[in-house]
Amino acid sequence: MSESSSGNDNTTGAPKKTLSLQRGPGTVRQNFSHGRSNSVVVETKKRRIVRPGDTKSVFTPKGDSVITPAPKEKKPAAKPADTGQSARGLSSNEMDARNRALEDARVRDAEEAVQAEELAKNQAVEEEVRREKDAETAKQQIVDEEKNKLDQETLKKADEEAAKVAAADASAAALEEPVKGTAKKSSGATSTLREEHRPKTAETPRPSRSKGQDSRRRTKLTLSNALDDNPQRGRSLAALRRRREKEKRALNTGPREKIMREVTIPDTITIQELASRMTERSVDVIKYLMQQGQMMTPGDIIDADMAQLIAEEMGHTVVRVSESDVEEGLHDVPDNPEDLLPRPPVVTIMGHVDHGKTSLLDALRHSKVADSESGGITQHIGAYQIEKDGQKITFIDTPGHEAFTTMRARGAESTDIAILVVAADDGVMPQTIESINHAKAADVPIIVAINKIDLEGADPARVRTDLLQHEVFVESMGGEVMDVEVSAKEGTNLDGLLEAILLQAEVLELKANPNRTADGIVVEAQLERGRGAVATVLIQRGTLRIGEIIVAGSEWGRARALVNDKGKNMKEAGPATPVEILGLSGAPAAGDRMVVVGNEARAREIADYRQRSARELAIAHAAGSRGSLEQMMTNLQQKGADTAPLVIKGDTHGSVEAITASLDNLGTEEVQARVVHSGVGGITEADVTLAMASHTPIIGFNVRANPQAREMARIEGIEIRYYSIIYDLVDDVKDTLSGMLKPERRETFLGNAEILDIFNVSKIGKVAGCLVTEGKVERGAGVRLIRDDVVIHEGELSTLKRFKDEVSEVQSGLECGMAFKAYQDMRKGDVIECFNVQHIARTL
C-alpha cells in the first residue's frame, strides 16, 4: 500500500504527506451570523475493550483501546519430583496456580500505571485549552469595546455634520428673501443662481455597521440570542416604549380634576359595585370605612343609607332607587273630588258563634246559606249584595268561631259599618267582645242587632247592660250606638235594621270614583276543579271589566269571568260590589290588594317582585329566629319538645290560615303541632310524597284526595283525615297532643318504720329488724332509706316478714323484718319510708 502511494506522488510532481491519526484533544472553530465565531475543544475519551484471554491493552490514536496478547515468558521447566510435591510442600498444580496469580497481578499493575499516565496527560491538555479559550474571550471583549467606542464617535460626527447642513440651509433661505421682490427671471437662471449661492456640502454618509456590531434587530430576543453569552444585548422596543410612557406620566404629576357623578343606589349594593359607579377605587372606599371604625372588604354588601353616606362624603350626588319602585303609583292614587259619586255601604256582620249572623243575613237575602254550612257554622267569609228601596247594600259575613279571629279582623278593616249580632238569651260572649275590639280598631260605626228575641229566655235589657262594660253605649241607654231588636227566624224588624243601615250610610256620605281603573281587596280565595283559582274580591274604587289585566298579591292574570253572589256572570263590577274573579295564575292570600295594571309585562314584574320579597322575608324570619338569646332558648325548648308534624290542605286560604293559627295555640313546652306544609286545593301526589318524607298524616279540610294520591297513600301507609268542621279538627289534634304528654306521677304516703337492729341471714343478706312507727308498710310498694333526714336510697322491698312468715303488709306498732333489692347498706337508727306511686294521664 505504501508503494502505490509513493507512485502517485511521483506522477503529480508534489510529494504528499503521509496519512496519520492525531493523538490527544483537538479544537473545532464554529462560525455564526454577524461575524461571530467560537472555538470548541473536542475531547477524546479512551475506551478499553477487554476480551476473554487478553492480558494487555494498547490505546489507539482515536482513543479506542485494542487488546493485544502479552508476550509469553518462558517458564522454567518444572523439575520432576519423586514424591509429586515441592520442597515447600506444594504440588506442581498449586505452584502453577500461584505463578499465574502473581503474573496477573504484575499485568494489572502495569495497566494501572499506563492509565494514570494517560489521565495526567489529558488533564494537562484540557487545562491548556481552557487557558487559551479565556484568553480569546478577553481579546474579543476588548475588540467589542473598541468597536462600540468607534460607533459612538461616528454617530457624534454625523450629528455635527447634520447640524452644519441645517445651518447652511437656513442662511440660504435668508439670502433668497430679497431676491423675491425683484423682477422675475427665467426659471433656469433662478435655479442656477440658487445653485451658485447654496454652499456645497458633501452628503453625510450613513455610518456603516460592522458585521459584528450590535443593531436594533440584535436586540430582539431570539433563540440564538437567548443561548448566546454575549452581554451586549440592548433594551427591547417594548421597554423603550414603556420608559417613554412613564416619562410622560411623570410630566403630568399634578392633581387631576375630580369628576362628580350622579350615583344610582339600590336597596343593597356591594362596596366594589359602589366604587365602580362612583369611578373611585375600592381601596379608597375601604379606607374611608376604616376611618369610621368599620373593617369591610370590597365584596361586602351595605345598605342604601350607608352607600349614600359614602357617596356624598366623596362629593357625588345620589339617586335612591328600590325594587319596590315597580309598585309606585299602583295603590292609593288620589281621586278628584269632582269625580266622586255615591256608592253602596259595605256592612260586616260580626258576633259570637251560633248567635244567628248567617241566619240574619239569609233572612235579609231570602236565601238559605246557613243550611249549606257544615255544622251550621260559617267557616268562610261570604260577600253578598241586596237592594232596599232602590239602594244597594253590600254585606260581608264573617265566621264567629274563635279560630277565625284573623277573618273577623280582615272583615272589619274592609267595611264601612259593623253590625254586632248578640243573642238575646246568651248575652255578650268572648267572640262578641273580640268583634267589638276589631270594630273599634278599624274605627267603623257599630249597629247592635239583638237577635233571637222570640225565644223564651230572651232579655234584651241584659244585653244592653252588658255592652256598657265594653264601652258600647246604645241609644236607649243614652249613647250614640243604634240598636235594633230582630228575630232572624221569625223575620221580625228586618226592615228596621235595613233602615238603620241606610241612615248610618247617609250620615257617612260614602262616595267613590267609578270612572277609573279598579282596585279592591281579596275577601277569600280558593282553587276549584274546572274553574282554577277563584278570588272573591270587594271592589272599592273604579270599575272592573272583563279582559282587564289584574294583580292580586303575588298572583296576576286576566279577568276571564266576573260572577256575582247569585252565580250570574257580569260584564263589569263597580265600587262596593262583591264579585268572583276567574283567570288568576294562582289563589292569592285573603286580604291582598287587587289592582288593574296596563300591560302584562308590568303585571308579571310586580308579581315576581312580591314573590321574591315573600321568599326573602321567610328566609330572614328563619335566620332571625336564632338572633337573640331569648329566641335561642325558645328554639331549644321547641327542639326538646315532642312535635306532631302535619300536612294541611284546605278549600280556602282563610280556612287554612285559621287552622294553622288554632294548632299553633295548642302547643306547650312539652308538645306542639308543627305544620310541615299547608296549601289551598285538593290533596295531590306531591302532598303524599311530602308526608312520606316527614312521616306525617295529611289533614284535608273540605277537600278530597285525587285517585292517584289516594292509591299512593294506601300503598305507603299514609293516613289521610277529612274534616268539614274546624272544631272537630282542632279537637282531634288536641287529643293527639294530649296522648303525647308524659303521665303525671302522683305519690301517696303509706308509713314509716325505724330500724332497731341488723341481722345477717344466709341466702338473703342483711335484714333490718324494724318497728312500724306510722301508717303501714306494704310489700311491693316503693321505699326510701332515710339517714339523718337525708334520702340515702330509693327502691323496692325484696322481703317483708312477720316473725318467720312472709306477709303483705304490717300495721303501725308492730315489728317486722325488711330487706331491700340489691342494697345492703342499712344501719341501726335509719328510717324506712313506704309509699305508693300512681301515673295519671294528662290532657291539654
Side-chain angles (χ1 to χ4, degrees), residues 515-821:
N515 302 316
R516 53 159 292 169
T517 56
D519 68 353
I521 185 170
V522 178
V523 176
E524 192 61 274
Q526 57 188 350
L527 293 174
E528 295 184 7
R529 179 184 292 272
R531 302 178 72 192
V534 180
T536 302
V537 178
L538 176 65
I539 307 299
Q540 294 177 321
R541 297 187 302 174
T543 302
L544 178 63
R545 297 175 178 83
I546 293 178
E548 290 184 332
I549 300 172
I550 58 176
V551 176
S554 59
E555 308 294 339
W556 72 280
R558 189 182 296 273
R560 294 189 289 107
L562 303 178
V563 182
N564 62 9
D565 60 315
K566 297 180 177 60
K568 297 181 179 179
N569 291 331
M570 306 170 59
K571 294 184 178 180
E572 60 180 27
T577 302
V579 63
E580 288 185 350
I581 302 176
L582 281 66
L584 290 172
S585 57
D592 286 343
R593 298 286 297 274
M594 187 280 303
V595 67
V596 175
V597 296
N599 51 66
E600 292 186 5
R602 189 183 182 195
R604 188 180 292 107
E605 184 180 9
I606 295 171
D608 292 343
Y609 162 71
R610 291 178 175 176
Q611 292 173 2
R612 187 167 57 254
S613 300
R615 287 194 300 268
E616 292 175 356
L617 182 62
I619 294 173
H621 179 70
S625 61
R626 60 178 183 271
S628 64
L629 180 62
E630 181 181 357
Q631 291 169 343
M632 184 182 70
M633 296 303 295
T634 302
N635 292 340
L636 291 176
Q637 291 177 358
Q638 291 177 354
K639 289 180 181 178
D642 293 336
T643 59
L646 299 170
V647 175
I648 297 175
K649 296 299 289 290
D651 56 343
T652 65
H653 180 273
S655 300
V656 174
E657 183 182 41
I659 293 170
T660 305
S662 299
L663 297 182
D664 290 340
N665 294 331
L666 292 178
T668 64
E669 294 182 357
E670 296 183 41
V671 294
Q672 60 181 353
R674 179 169 61 91
V675 179
V676 177
H677 171 70
S678 62
V680 178
I683 301 172
T684 61
E685 294 175 85
D687 299 324
V688 178
T689 304
L690 180 60
M692 290 167 51
S694 53
H695 306 287
T696 65
I698 301 175
I699 293 179
F701 185 76
N702 286 332
V703 294
R704 292 293 182 270
N706 58 36
Q708 295 82 4
R710 190 163 52 249
E711 181 65 18
M712 185 177 181
R714 185 187 64 80
I715 295 174
E716 301 295 337
I718 301 298
E719 181 183 8
I720 300 178
R721 290 191 177 187
Y722 300 112
Y723 295 93
S724 58
I725 303 175
I726 190 169
Y727 53 74
D728 290 343
L729 186 155
V730 175
D731 290 344
D732 284 355
V733 176
K734 186 176 180 179
D735 293 341
T736 302
L737 295 179
S738 298
M740 295 170 61
L741 291 172
K742 294 180 180 179
E744 181 182 356
R745 185 176 183 270
R746 186 173 297 177
E747 184 178 301
T748 304
F749 174 77
L750 293 179
N752 286 335
E754 182 180 356
I755 299 177
L756 302 178
D757 203 353
I758 303 296
F759 305 95
N760 289 321
V761 180
S762 61
K763 298 182 181 180
I764 296 178
K766 290 185 178 181
V767 176
C770 305
L771 173 65
V772 180
T773 59
E774 184 181 358
K776 63 179 180 177
V777 177
E778 293 182 356
R779 186 174 58 184
V783 289
R784 293 189 184 95
L785 181 64
I786 301 174
R787 181 179 302 160
D788 297 332
D789 297 329
V790 177
V791 177
I792 303 301
H793 173 70
E794 182 175 346
E796 294 181 5
L797 290 177
S798 61
T799 300
L800 179 63
K801 290 187 176 183
R802 174 78 174 145
F803 300 105
K804 294 183 179 181
D805 299 330
E806 288 281 348
V807 294
S808 59
E809 67 176 30
V810 178
Q811 298 293 332
S812 175
L814 300 178
E815 295 182 351
C816 62
M818 289 187 288
F820 288 90
K821 286 184 179 179

Side-chain angles (χ1 to χ4, degrees), residues 270-300:
T270 62
I271 294 177
Q272 181 69 41
E273 178 64 20
L274 177 62
S276 176
R277 295 187 181 188
M278 295 188 302
T279 62
E280 301 279 356
R281 297 188 308 165
S282 58
V283 177
D284 296 335
V285 181
I286 297 297
K287 287 181 180 178
Y288 171 76
L289 291 173
M290 291 176 64
Q291 293 174 0
Q292 302 300 320
Q294 299 188 25
M295 303 297 294
M296 304 186 77
T297 62
D300 290 341

Side-chain angles (χ1 to χ4, degrees), residues 327-546:
E327 296 184 344
E328 187 176 353
L330 197 64
H331 300 290
D332 301 328
V333 178
D335 292 322
N336 189 354
E338 299 178 356
D339 299 333
L340 299 179
L341 299 177
R343 65 169 178 84
V346 179
V347 180
T348 299
I349 299 180
M350 308 173 70
H352 191 72
V353 61
D354 201 25
H355 274 205
K357 297 181 298 298
T358 306
S359 300
L360 180 61
L361 184 58
D362 287 342
L364 295 173
R365 296 178 63 240
H366 305 289
S367 61
K368 295 183 180 180
V369 176
D371 296 340
S372 62
E373 292 285 354
S374 301
I377 64 171
T378 301
Q379 302 178 116
H380 309 87
I381 286 184
Y384 313 97
Q385 195 171 51
I386 66 173
E387 188 172 347
K388 170 66 175 176
D389 298 333
Q391 298 183 16
K392 294 182 178 179
I393 303 174
T394 300
F395 285 94
I396 297 178
D397 187 14
T398 62
H401 195 272
E402 59 181 353
F404 298 97
T405 301
T406 308
M407 286 191 182
R408 285 191 296 275
R410 191 178 303 126
E413 291 174 357
S414 59
T415 188
D416 301 320
I417 303 171
I419 294 182
L420 184 63
V421 179
V422 185
D425 55 344
D426 287 344
V428 177
M429 301 297 286
Q431 273 64 58
T432 309
I433 302 172
E434 186 181 307
S435 301
I436 294 172
N437 295 332
H438 288 319
K440 289 183 177 180
D443 195 20
V444 295
I446 299 175
I447 298 177
V448 178
I450 303 175
N451 194 21
K452 301 184 180 181
I453 61 172
D454 56 313
L455 298 180
E456 294 182 358
D459 188 359
R462 183 170 65 91
V463 173
R464 297 184 178 95
T465 305
D466 292 343
L467 290 175
L468 294 176
Q469 301 177 6
H470 305 286
E471 299 181 357
V472 178
F473 306 104
V474 297
E475 291 180 344
S476 59
M477 304 290 289
E480 297 180 355
V481 177
M482 291 188 291
D483 61 311
V484 181
E485 297 181 5
V486 295
S487 173
K489 184 177 181 181
E490 302 295 334
T492 306
N493 204 17
L494 297 181
D495 292 337
L497 179 61
L498 295 177
E499 290 176 358
I501 293 173
L502 294 177
L503 179 60
Q504 186 67 54
E506 185 178 353
V507 173
L508 295 176
E509 295 183 355
L510 304 173
K511 294 183 179 181
N513 180 14
N515 302 316
R516 53 159 292 169
T517 56
D519 68 353
I521 185 170
V522 178
V523 176
E524 192 61 274
Q526 57 188 350
L527 293 174
E528 295 184 7
R529 179 184 292 272
R531 302 178 72 192
V534 180
T536 302
V537 178
L538 176 65
I539 307 299
Q540 294 177 321
R541 297 187 302 174
T543 302
L544 178 63
R545 297 175 178 83
I546 293 178

Side-chain angles (χ1 to χ4, degrees), residues 41-204:
V41 177
V42 180
E43 181 180 354
T44 61
K45 294 187 179 291
K46 298 178 177 55
R47 181 167 58 92
R48 179 184 178 191
I49 303 175
V50 180
R51 296 185 181 88
D54 295 341
T55 60
K56 186 178 181 181
S57 61
V58 178
F59 291 92
T60 63
K62 288 186 177 180
D64 297 334
S65 61
V66 179
I67 306 301
T68 59
K72 296 181 180 179
E73 297 182 358
K74 294 182 180 181
K75 298 180 181 179
K79 294 180 180 182
D82 298 336
T83 61
Q85 293 182 349
S86 64
R88 295 182 180 181
L90 298 176
S91 64
S92 60
N93 293 334
E94 292 174 347
M95 290 296 292
D96 291 341
R98 181 181 181 184
N99 293 332
R100 286 195 300 270
L102 294 174
E103 185 65 25
D104 292 343
R106 284 195 294 272
V107 171
R108 284 196 299 272
D109 293 341
E111 291 177 354
E112 290 176 356
V114 172
Q115 290 178 359
E117 183 180 358
E118 292 293 336
L119 181 60
K121 289 181 181 180
N122 292 338
Q123 290 178 351
V125 172
E126 290 177 359
E127 185 66 25
E128 183 65 25
V129 172
R130 189 179 300 108
R131 285 196 295 270
E132 292 178 358
K133 184 177 179 181
D134 293 340
E136 290 179 0
T137 304
K139 291 179 182 180
Q140 185 66 29
Q141 291 179 354
I142 295 172
V143 171
D144 292 340
E145 291 177 358
E146 292 177 353
K147 288 182 179 180
N148 291 335
K149 291 180 180 179
L150 181 60
D151 292 341
Q152 293 177 0
E153 292 176 358
T154 305
L155 291 174
K156 186 175 182 181
K157 291 180 180 180
D159 293 339
E160 293 177 355
E161 292 293 337
K164 291 179 181 179
V165 172
D169 291 340
S171 60
L175 292 174
E176 290 177 0
E177 286 297 330
V179 178
K180 292 181 180 179
T182 60
K184 294 183 181 180
K185 298 183 180 181
S186 63
S187 60
T190 304
S191 60
T192 304
L193 182 61
R194 289 179 181 174
E195 292 295 333
E196 290 176 355
H197 286 81
R198 179 175 299 175
K200 296 181 179 180
T201 58
E203 184 179 358
T204 305

